[in-house]
Amino acid sequence: MKKTLSSVIALSVLASCASVEQPGLKDVFQDHFMMGAALNEAEINGTDTLGIELIKKNFNTIVAENCMKSEVIHPEKDRYDFSLADKFVDFGNENGMFVVGHCLIWHSQCAPWFFLNEDGSQIDAEELKARMKEHITTVMTRYKGRVHGWDVVNEAVVEDGSYRQSKFYEILGEEFIPLAFQYAHEADPDAELYINDYGMNVPGRRDTYVRIVSDLKSRGLRIDAVGMQGHMGMDYPDFAQFEESLNAFAGTGVKVMITEWDMSALPTVNRGADVADTEAYNAMMNPYPDGLPEDVSAKWNERMKTFMDLFVKHSDVITRVTAWGVSDDDSWKNDWPMRGRVEYPLLFDRELQPKAFLREYMKKEHIK
Ligand code: XIL
């Protein structure tokens, strides 16, 4: 969050007023699921003091936005960097939160050394198994009993239901998934283990995850939940498909978690668009640099409420709803999939106030 001194004072006043009137989200939804947020570096380091207050008040589960990803925590073969991850875990433990580790095996934000021999050639299957096991074991052992659940495998399947052509898949085939779950369970038998992906409403991807989870279970491997990331926009995902996926995952006997919830309020970027005038295109794609117009905000809030109601409806299987950041200024969506847009995707606005749809739930204190 970027703040000037006067805005910090104004925000502090607002935050303290808010804390008198508003119950925390974790209390509002306490009969249904844990409420969570992804923490960024400024929050973990404690420099974003207002952000930290908001987190303590509203969330009972946290996940690391970046600091546990393999390129950060394990940048070289023989070097780990636990500096931020340690602080993240300490913060969660000190505040009695359910701490989630994100993530162990993912093609992205993974340092290139992971797949290479010293001479630069690609490692073979046995070596990749050894490296996966070493990585998973080292990271999970360090936080044994203190990180309560892990995204073991992230984003392994593409829309048509085929496996993503990652290095893990290229070198080990489908077996990389059961192996990761086996190593993770051996490292910390008490930790919950999850498989996580975006676009989970898409039928092809849904079917493959149902097959993967069933396969893990039939082999006797531990898997506790499917993580539906929940990166949304005003025109995706399709609501009925999303609910169908939720039911399909629950049908395999695991829990479901909404793990990275955010909803873009801006036009959806179509990378295939034929763009003649770049400047005009950029302006069109960043239409609300000075604030979200009322009508757009109303639509956004209505759509968020529809999904929140769905989560409440399915709270027999949904155990956690985690937003991918705290307030709009923090969101990765300000720079993705286009850089430099002013986005409005999170649960709290730039003044650190809860969005309108949440204020409605807050009025009811707990949702029964
Ligand atoms: C994103 C972070 O929010 C950004 O800060 C980073 O630059 C890229 O990764 N799916 C995931 C998350 O599983 O780890 C990604 O997080 C968002 C998409």
PDB file of all heavy atoms in Angstrom, residues 65-66 69 102 106 109 154-155 196 229 231 260 324 332, ligand 1:
ATOM      1  N   GLU A  65       1.808 -14.946  -0.214  1.00  0.00           N
ATOM      2  CA  GLU A  65       1.572 -14.632  -1.633  1.00  0.00           C
ATOM      3  C   GLU A  65       2.759 -15.064  -2.496  1.00  0.00           C
ATOM      4  O   GLU A  65       2.576 -15.553  -3.603  1.00  0.00           O
ATOM      5  CB  GLU A  65       1.312 -13.127  -1.820  1.00  0.00           C
ATOM      6  CG  GLU A  65       0.961 -12.789  -3.262  1.00  0.00           C
ATOM      7  CD  GLU A  65       0.580 -11.342  -3.494  1.00  0.00           C
ATOM      8  OE1 GLU A  65       0.699 -10.524  -2.556  1.00  0.00           O
ATOM      9  OE2 GLU A  65       0.177 -11.016  -4.624  1.00  0.00           O
ATOM     10  N   ASN A  66       3.959 -14.872  -2.009  1.00  0.00           N
ATOM     11  CA  ASN A  66       5.136 -15.217  -2.825  1.00  0.00           C
ATOM     12  C   ASN A  66       6.287 -15.897  -2.067  1.00  0.00           C
ATOM     13  O   ASN A  66       7.069 -16.610  -2.677  1.00  0.00           O
ATOM     14  CB  ASN A  66       5.702 -13.948  -3.491  1.00  0.00           C
ATOM     15  CG  ASN A  66       4.838 -13.481  -4.657  1.00  0.00           C
ATOM     16  OD1 ASN A  66       4.599 -14.221  -5.606  1.00  0.00           O
ATOM     17  ND2 ASN A  66       4.346 -12.264  -4.567  1.00  0.00           N
ATOM     18  N   LYS A  69       7.348 -19.642  -2.445  1.00  0.00           N
ATOM     19  CA  LYS A  69       7.494 -20.229  -3.780  1.00  0.00           C
ATOM     20  C   LYS A  69       8.941 -20.656  -3.974  1.00  0.00           C
ATOM     21  O   LYS A  69       9.860 -20.044  -3.415  1.00  0.00           O
ATOM     22  CB  LYS A  69       7.057 -19.223  -4.838  1.00  0.00           C
ATOM     23  CG  LYS A  69       5.546 -18.994  -4.778  1.00  0.00           C
ATOM     24  CD  LYS A  69       5.088 -17.862  -5.665  1.00  0.00           C
ATOM     25  CE  LYS A  69       3.568 -17.715  -5.590  1.00  0.00           C
ATOM     26  NZ  LYS A  69       3.098 -16.503  -6.303  1.00  0.00           N
ATOM     27  N   HIS A 102       2.191 -22.056   0.486  1.00  0.00           N
ATOM     28  CA  HIS A 102       1.921 -21.984  -0.964  1.00  0.00           C
ATOM     29  C   HIS A 102       3.238 -21.685  -1.647  1.00  0.00           C
ATOM     30  O   HIS A 102       3.791 -20.628  -1.381  1.00  0.00           O
ATOM     31  CB  HIS A 102       0.901 -20.885  -1.239  1.00  0.00           C
ATOM     32  CG  HIS A 102       0.671 -20.590  -2.692  1.00  0.00           C
ATOM     33  ND1 HIS A 102      -0.188 -21.316  -3.469  1.00  0.00           N
ATOM     34  CD2 HIS A 102       1.211 -19.658  -3.521  1.00  0.00           C
ATOM     35  CE1 HIS A 102      -0.204 -20.819  -4.690  1.00  0.00           C
ATOM     36  NE2 HIS A 102       0.636 -19.815  -4.763  1.00  0.00           N
ATOM     37  N   TRP A 106       5.285 -26.315  -8.454  1.00  0.00           N
ATOM     38  CA  TRP A 106       4.620 -25.424  -9.418  1.00  0.00           C
ATOM     39  C   TRP A 106       5.617 -25.093 -10.516  1.00  0.00           C
ATOM     40  O   TRP A 106       6.775 -24.774 -10.217  1.00  0.00           O
ATOM     41  CB  TRP A 106       4.171 -24.146  -8.688  1.00  0.00           C
ATOM     42  CG  TRP A 106       3.313 -23.196  -9.486  1.00  0.00           C
ATOM     43  CD1 TRP A 106       2.459 -23.512 -10.494  1.00  0.00           C
ATOM     44  CD2 TRP A 106       3.214 -21.768  -9.305  1.00  0.00           C
ATOM     45  NE1 TRP A 106       1.826 -22.376 -10.951  1.00  0.00           N
ATOM     46  CE2 TRP A 106       2.272 -21.296 -10.247  1.00  0.00           C
ATOM     47  CE3 TRP A 106       3.827 -20.852  -8.445  1.00  0.00           C
ATOM     48  CZ2 TRP A 106       1.937 -19.948 -10.356  1.00  0.00           C
ATOM     49  CZ3 TRP A 106       3.486 -19.514  -8.558  1.00  0.00           C
ATOM     50  CH2 TRP A 106       2.545 -19.067  -9.496  1.00  0.00           C
ATOM     51  N   GLN A 109       7.485 -19.505 -11.138  1.00  0.00           N
ATOM     52  CA  GLN A 109       8.267 -19.023  -9.988  1.00  0.00           C
ATOM     53  C   GLN A 109       9.084 -20.162  -9.365  1.00  0.00           C
ATOM     54  O   GLN A 109       9.144 -20.326  -8.143  1.00  0.00           O
ATOM     55  CB  GLN A 109       7.358 -18.323  -8.971  1.00  0.00           C
ATOM     56  CG  GLN A 109       6.808 -17.010  -9.545  1.00  0.00           C
ATOM     57  CD  GLN A 109       5.902 -16.259  -8.586  1.00  0.00           C
ATOM     58  OE1 GLN A 109       4.702 -16.504  -8.522  1.00  0.00           O
ATOM     59  NE2 GLN A 109       6.483 -15.338  -7.836  1.00  0.00           N
ATOM     60  N   ASN A 154       0.445 -27.149  -7.726  1.00  0.00           N
ATOM     61  CA  ASN A 154      -0.293 -25.971  -8.190  1.00  0.00           C
ATOM     62  C   ASN A 154      -0.342 -25.944  -9.722  1.00  0.00           C
ATOM     63  O   ASN A 154       0.685 -26.169 -10.376  1.00  0.00           O
ATOM     64  CB  ASN A 154       0.430 -24.716  -7.671  1.00  0.00           C
ATOM     65  CG  ASN A 154      -0.408 -23.451  -7.735  1.00  0.00           C
ATOM     66  OD1 ASN A 154      -1.634 -23.498  -7.629  1.00  0.00           O
ATOM     67  ND2 ASN A 154       0.259 -22.311  -7.895  1.00  0.00           N
ATOM     68  N   GLU A 155      -1.523 -25.717 -10.273  1.00  0.00           N
ATOM     69  CA  GLU A 155      -1.708 -25.429 -11.706  1.00  0.00           C
ATOM     70  C   GLU A 155      -1.111 -26.491 -12.629  1.00  0.00           C
ATOM     71  O   GLU A 155      -0.331 -26.175 -13.529  1.00  0.00           O
ATOM     72  CB  GLU A 155      -1.149 -24.036 -12.027  1.00  0.00           C
ATOM     73  CG  GLU A 155      -1.841 -22.947 -11.217  1.00  0.00           C
ATOM     74  CD  GLU A 155      -1.382 -21.537 -11.559  1.00  0.00           C
ATOM     75  OE1 GLU A 155      -0.413 -21.384 -12.309  1.00  0.00           O
ATOM     76  OE2 GLU A 155      -2.011 -20.585 -11.060  1.00  0.00           O
ATOM     77  N   ASN A 196      -4.286 -27.473  -6.219  1.00  0.00           N
ATOM     78  CA  ASN A 196      -4.820 -26.124  -6.397  1.00  0.00           C
ATOM     79  C   ASN A 196      -4.697 -25.696  -7.865  1.00  0.00           C
ATOM     80  O   ASN A 196      -3.684 -25.956  -8.503  1.00  0.00           O
ATOM     81  CB  ASN A 196      -3.945 -25.199  -5.520  1.00  0.00           C
ATOM     82  CG  ASN A 196      -4.501 -23.819  -5.311  1.00  0.00           C
ATOM     83  OD1 ASN A 196      -5.662 -23.659  -4.965  1.00  0.00           O
ATOM     84  ND2 ASN A 196      -3.661 -22.802  -5.510  1.00  0.00           N
ATOM     85  N   GLN A 229      -8.928 -21.700  -7.077  1.00  0.00           N
ATOM     86  CA  GLN A 229      -8.278 -20.408  -6.805  1.00  0.00           C
ATOM     87  C   GLN A 229      -9.286 -19.267  -6.721  1.00  0.00           C
ATOM     88  O   GLN A 229      -9.218 -18.427  -5.838  1.00  0.00           O
ATOM     89  CB  GLN A 229      -7.223 -20.108  -7.864  1.00  0.00           C
ATOM     90  CG  GLN A 229      -5.986 -20.998  -7.756  1.00  0.00           C
ATOM     91  CD  GLN A 229      -4.880 -20.629  -8.722  1.00  0.00           C
ATOM     92  OE1 GLN A 229      -4.996 -19.669  -9.493  1.00  0.00           O
ATOM     93  NE2 GLN A 229      -3.798 -21.387  -8.702  1.00  0.00           N
ATOM     94  N   HIS A 231      -9.836 -16.788  -9.118  1.00  0.00           N
ATOM     95  CA  HIS A 231      -9.518 -15.519  -9.802  1.00  0.00           C
ATOM     96  C   HIS A 231     -10.640 -15.293 -10.816  1.00  0.00           C
ATOM     97  O   HIS A 231     -10.782 -16.042 -11.762  1.00  0.00           O
ATOM     98  CB  HIS A 231      -8.159 -15.596 -10.495  1.00  0.00           C
ATOM     99  CG  HIS A 231      -7.020 -15.761  -9.540  1.00  0.00           C
ATOM    100  ND1 HIS A 231      -6.713 -14.802  -8.608  1.00  0.00           N
ATOM    101  CD2 HIS A 231      -6.151 -16.774  -9.357  1.00  0.00           C
ATOM    102  CE1 HIS A 231      -5.678 -15.216  -7.885  1.00  0.00           C
ATOM    103  NE2 HIS A 231      -5.326 -16.413  -8.307  1.00  0.00           N
ATOM    104  N   GLU A 260      -7.730 -18.334  -3.660  1.00  0.00           N
ATOM    105  CA  GLU A 260      -7.072 -17.101  -4.150  1.00  0.00           C
ATOM    106  C   GLU A 260      -8.135 -16.174  -4.718  1.00  0.00           C
ATOM    107  O   GLU A 260      -8.055 -15.729  -5.852  1.00  0.00           O
ATOM    108  CB  GLU A 260      -6.033 -17.438  -5.230  1.00  0.00           C
ATOM    109  CG  GLU A 260      -4.984 -18.428  -4.767  1.00  0.00           C
ATOM    110  CD  GLU A 260      -3.885 -18.688  -5.794  1.00  0.00           C
ATOM    111  OE1 GLU A 260      -3.753 -17.938  -6.774  1.00  0.00           O
ATOM    112  OE2 GLU A 260      -3.138 -19.668  -5.596  1.00  0.00           O
ATOM    113  N   TRP A 324      -6.959 -13.148  -2.356  1.00  0.00           N
ATOM    114  CA  TRP A 324      -5.559 -13.062  -2.791  1.00  0.00           C
ATOM    115  C   TRP A 324      -5.019 -11.644  -2.546  1.00  0.00           C
ATOM    116  O   TRP A 324      -4.684 -10.914  -3.478  1.00  0.00           O
ATOM    117  CB  TRP A 324      -5.412 -13.505  -4.243  1.00  0.00           C
ATOM    118  CG  TRP A 324      -3.997 -13.947  -4.547  1.00  0.00           C
ATOM    119  CD1 TRP A 324      -3.132 -13.399  -5.454  1.00  0.00           C
ATOM    120  CD2 TRP A 324      -3.285 -15.027  -3.931  1.00  0.00           C
ATOM    121  NE1 TRP A 324      -1.925 -14.076  -5.422  1.00  0.00           N
ATOM    122  CE2 TRP A 324      -1.995 -15.078  -4.496  1.00  0.00           C
ATOM    123  CE3 TRP A 324      -3.605 -15.973  -2.932  1.00  0.00           C
ATOM    124  CZ2 TRP A 324      -1.017 -16.021  -4.113  1.00  0.00           C
ATOM    125  CZ3 TRP A 324      -2.641 -16.899  -2.553  1.00  0.00           C
ATOM    126  CH2 TRP A 324      -1.373 -16.914  -3.146  1.00  0.00           C
ATOM    127  N   TRP A 332      -2.185  -8.145  -7.020  1.00  0.00           N
ATOM    128  CA  TRP A 332      -1.357  -8.446  -8.198  1.00  0.00           C
ATOM    129  C   TRP A 332      -2.076  -8.056  -9.472  1.00  0.00           C
ATOM    130  O   TRP A 332      -1.460  -7.822 -10.499  1.00  0.00           O
ATOM    131  CB  TRP A 332      -1.012  -9.947  -8.212  1.00  0.00           C
ATOM    132  CG  TRP A 332      -2.167 -10.867  -8.544  1.00  0.00           C
ATOM    133  CD1 TRP A 332      -3.382 -10.938  -7.915  1.00  0.00           C
ATOM    134  CD2 TRP A 332      -2.220 -11.833  -9.605  1.00  0.00           C
ATOM    135  NE1 TRP A 332      -4.182 -11.902  -8.502  1.00  0.00           N
ATOM    136  CE2 TRP A 332      -3.499 -12.471  -9.540  1.00  0.00           C
ATOM    137  CE3 TRP A 332      -1.325 -12.244 -10.590  1.00  0.00           C
ATOM    138  CZ2 TRP A 332      -3.886 -13.478 -10.426  1.00  0.00           C
ATOM    139  CZ3 TRP A 332      -1.720 -13.257 -11.470  1.00  0.00           C
ATOM    140  CH2 TRP A 332      -2.981 -13.853 -11.388  1.00  0.00           C
TER     141      TRP A 332
HETATM  142  C1  XIL B   1       1.002 -14.201  -8.055  1.00  0.00           C
HETATM  143  C2  XIL B   1       1.393 -13.119  -7.050  1.00  0.00           C
HETATM  144  O1  XIL B   1       0.221 -12.552  -6.545  1.00  0.00           O
HETATM  145  C3  XIL B   1       2.243 -12.064  -7.719  1.00  0.00           C
HETATM  146  O2  XIL B   1       2.738 -11.135  -6.752  1.00  0.00           O
HETATM  147  C4  XIL B   1       3.425 -12.713  -8.443  1.00  0.00           C
HETATM  148  O3  XIL B   1       4.139 -11.729  -9.146  1.00  0.00           O
HETATM  149  C5  XIL B   1       2.938 -13.785  -9.404  1.00  0.00           C
HETATM  150  O4  XIL B   1       2.139 -14.725  -8.696  1.00  0.00           O
HETATM  151  N1  XIL B   1      -1.844 -18.301  -9.142  1.00  0.00           N
HETATM  152  C6  XIL B   1      -1.100 -18.591  -8.021  1.00  0.00           C
HETATM  153  C7  XIL B   1      -0.426 -17.510  -7.289  1.00  0.00           C
HETATM  154  O5  XIL B   1      -1.103 -19.747  -7.571  1.00  0.00           O
HETATM  155  O6  XIL B   1       0.772 -17.923  -6.702  1.00  0.00           O
HETATM  156  C8  XIL B   1      -0.165 -16.307  -8.193  1.00  0.00           C
HETATM  157  O7  XIL B   1       0.358 -15.253  -7.377  1.00  0.00           O
HETATM  158  C9  XIL B   1      -1.435 -15.892  -8.882  1.00  0.00           C
HETATM  159  C10 XIL B   1      -1.955 -17.009  -9.751  1.00  0.00           C
END
